[in-house]
Amino acid sequence: MFTIDQIKAAHSKVKSGADFPNYIQELVQLGVTSYETYVSDGHTDYFGKDAYHTSTTPAYDTLFIAEISNAEQFKIDLNAHQQGQTDYPTFCKDCAKSGIEKWTVAMDKMTCTYYDKAENKLLTEIIPQ
């Protein structure tokens, strides 16, 4: 099964949202079936076959997640990030300001879904391949 060190090596190649599709393909090759990233501290829970699960430690100091989500601002910030205009730490701060609590990636569907604190789906995107 995959390790956090392997995932970190793959993630180290991501400089902006433009690098995200290649990162996802590398995770698939490692055996990751899905993952959830929590904006509040940046930790991620990774899942694989046969109920395999591993998690990272928090990646940064705790961010305050806005109580009320702002889907429109989030879409603007996400678009900027996907075009390489922001780095990962900035994207996470933008998510927190827009009320994004976490995102989940499903490798079988090649989707990334963003949720607010009330578990409402704010956006589901198909990951380009």
Side-chain angles (χ1 to χ4, degrees):
M1 263 310 126
F2 53 86
T3 67
I4 293 299
D5 285 340
Q6 290 172 308
I7 292 168
K8 284 181 180 179
H11 195 264
S12 71
K13 300 171 190 171
V14 178
K15 303 303 177 206
S16 73
D19 302 320
F20 188 68
N22 290 336
Y23 170 64
I24 294 301
Q25 289 303 318
E26 195 164 343
L27 292 185
V28 168
Q29 292 173 1
L30 290 173
V32 175
T33 57
S34 66
Y35 70 86
E36 296 180 335
T37 298
Y38 292 84
V39 174
S40 62
D41 65 4
H43 87 274
T44 302
D45 297 329
Y46 293 92
F47 304 92
K49 294 178 183 175
D50 301 323
Y52 181 76
H53 170 255
T54 190
S55 299
T56 64
T57 57
Y60 45 77
D61 291 337
T62 302
L63 297 175
F64 172 77
I65 309 298
E67 293 296 325
I68 298 173
S69 57
N70 184 339
E72 292 309 311
Q73 183 60 51
F74 170 67
K75 289 175 188 175
I76 291 167
D77 294 336
L78 176 62
N79 186 48
H81 185 63
Q82 289 173 334
Q83 292 179 10
Q85 296 173 15
T86 60
D87 61 12
Y88 185 72
T90 300
F91 176 65
C92 291
K93 290 175 186 173
D94 289 342
C95 285
K97 290 177 189 174
S98 292
I100 303 299
E101 181 176 49
K102 69 177 180 179
W103 62 81
T104 63
V105 173
M107 306 308 189
D108 60 340
K109 298 176 185 172
M110 292 307 282
T111 58
C112 182
T113 304
Y114 299 88
Y115 296 89
D116 66 11
K117 288 175 105 174
E119 291 288 322
N120 296 311
K121 289 182 186 180
L122 296 183
L123 178 67
T124 298
E125 289 197 313
I126 303 296
I127 299 168
Q129 297 182 35

